[in-house]
Amino acid sequence: MVMPFDLCNAPSTFQATMNELLRPFLLRFIVVFFDDILFFLKESKCVFAQCQLEFLGHIVYGHGVAADPSKIEAMVNWPTPMTTQSLRGFLGLTDFYRKFIRDYAAFAALLTSLLQKDNFHWGEDSQLAFDSLKRAMTQAPVLALPDFSRPFTLETDASGTAMGIVLMQGGHP
């Protein structure tokens, strides 16, 4: 790819500029994620001096990252599924937040089995699994941000998405 103004080192120059500009605030209340190079800002997508912000279905704030409360409310208010399609929608929404729920697969196993062809038969055990999964989603913990004063290792999958991140601090995830 050809960089404007013949700058072959534009990504590193841009990152260094952002780090220098925001140095007094870095790791205190600003974290710079370098993903793409943007040479202009869309004002409607910019926020400054916020105590918390919504990002990709999560709430990021000083104590960590949490599931968006409006999504949790949608799960809690989800009516009992009467069709495979409705159940698939519910499981899709809960699956997005599975990283917050210990043993998510165990909670969702019975419901997932109902998605198999000609296997949708809602009964008491299905309702119990549905209610248990809803309850687990309301008790999701806050994911803590790392302690930037201590060394840590960040491992991601090939895509580098947040879903594939494992944070190791002090030898423990």
Side-chain angles (χ1 to χ4, degrees), residues 42-100:
K42 186 171 183 181
E43 191 175 337
S44 65
K45 296 197 175 227
C46 296
V47 293
F48 298 95
Q50 302 293 309
C51 295
Q52 67 180 32
L53 62 98
E54 183 180 331
F55 181 71
L56 299 175
H58 298 86
I59 303 296
V60 181
Y61 60 104
H63 299 293
V65 180
D68 183 339
S70 67
K71 305 291 189 218
I72 300 300
E73 184 178 344
M75 289 176 221
V76 170
N77 294 329
W78 198 282
T80 299
M82 294 296 145
T83 65
T84 305
Q85 184 177 359
S86 177
L87 178 58
R88 187 173 284 117
F90 175 75
L91 288 173
L93 182 57
T94 61
D95 186 66
F96 183 76
Y97 295 103
R98 73 181 300 143
K99 63 186 162 284
F100 289 96

Side-chain angles (χ1 to χ4, degrees), residues 25 30 33 35-36 39 44 83 95 102 110 137 165 168:
F25 312 113
I30 291 179
F33 292 100
D35 193 275
D36 293 310
F39 290 103
S44 65
T83 65
D95 186 66
R102 181 180 296 253
L110 177 74
M137 298 308 291
I165 290 178
M168 299 284 289

